[in-house]
Amino acid sequence: VQLQASGGGLVQAGGSLRLSCAASGRTTFSEYTLAWFRQAPGKDREFVVSITWSGGITDFADSVKGRFTISRDNAKNTVYLQMNNLKPEDTAVYYCAAGYLRYIHRVYAPNEYNYWGQGTLVTVSS
């Protein structure tokens, strides 16, 4: 499985960005969960949001609930992270990840995910 993340950039507080994660290398991702993690300088990588490929069940970190949404395009094997009302504390490198979790959700530990894309930097200025 290969994951290609894109869409990061610099935005002012209150602004929006959309990240994309294109997945390839499998005929189907139906038993996978796709997730976004982020890592700020000097901090551990933390869970942001996930979506089960089959069923579209989503889980959000409390810090982003109501501001971030996740969606998928099955035809394009792509997951999107829409980030609204961004705050300076959202500044981090964002990573997409895929885990062969077989429909299990509420999985928040990075080591449960098997594949990782390169990070994309999101910087929110105050």
Side-chain angles (χ1 to χ4, degrees):
V1 174
Q2 292 80 45
L3 303 173
Q4 181 71 40
S6 61
L10 173 65
V11 64
Q12 289 187 332
S16 299
L17 279 175
R18 189 178 79 158
L19 306 183
S20 300
C21 178
S24 61
R26 289 291 185 274
T27 303
T28 176
F29 289 92
S30 61
E31 294 182 286
Y32 282 79
T33 294
L34 276 290
W36 288 94
F37 288 78
R38 65 187 181 186
Q39 188 165 18
K43 295 188 176 181
D44 293 335
R45 192 168 297 188
E46 66 172 358
F47 172 86
V48 178
V49 61
S50 65
I51 185 168
T52 60
W53 198 267
S54 178
I57 299 172
T58 57
D59 291 296
F60 291 86
D62 288 343
S63 59
V64 305
K65 283 180 181 176
R67 300 188 297 122
F68 291 11
T69 59
I70 188 170
S71 61
R72 72 199 189 288
D73 183 329
N74 290 347
K76 296 182 178 180
N77 282 348
T78 299
V79 171
Y80 302 99
L81 176 62
Q82 179 66 42
M83 305 184 293
N84 298 327
N85 190 20
L86 283 161
K87 303 176 180 180
E89 51 264 43
D90 294 317
T91 295
V93 177
Y94 283 70
Y95 298 90
C96 62
Y100 184 65
L101 300 176
R102 305 194 69 181
Y103 316 114
I104 296 173
H105 64 110
R106 297 180 182 172
V107 178
Y108 307 129
N111 61 7
E112 297 289 347
Y113 290 82
N114 312 93
Y115 305 97
W116 291 83
Q118 87 289 3
T120 184
L121 177 62
V122 172
T123 304
V124 184
S125 62
S126 57

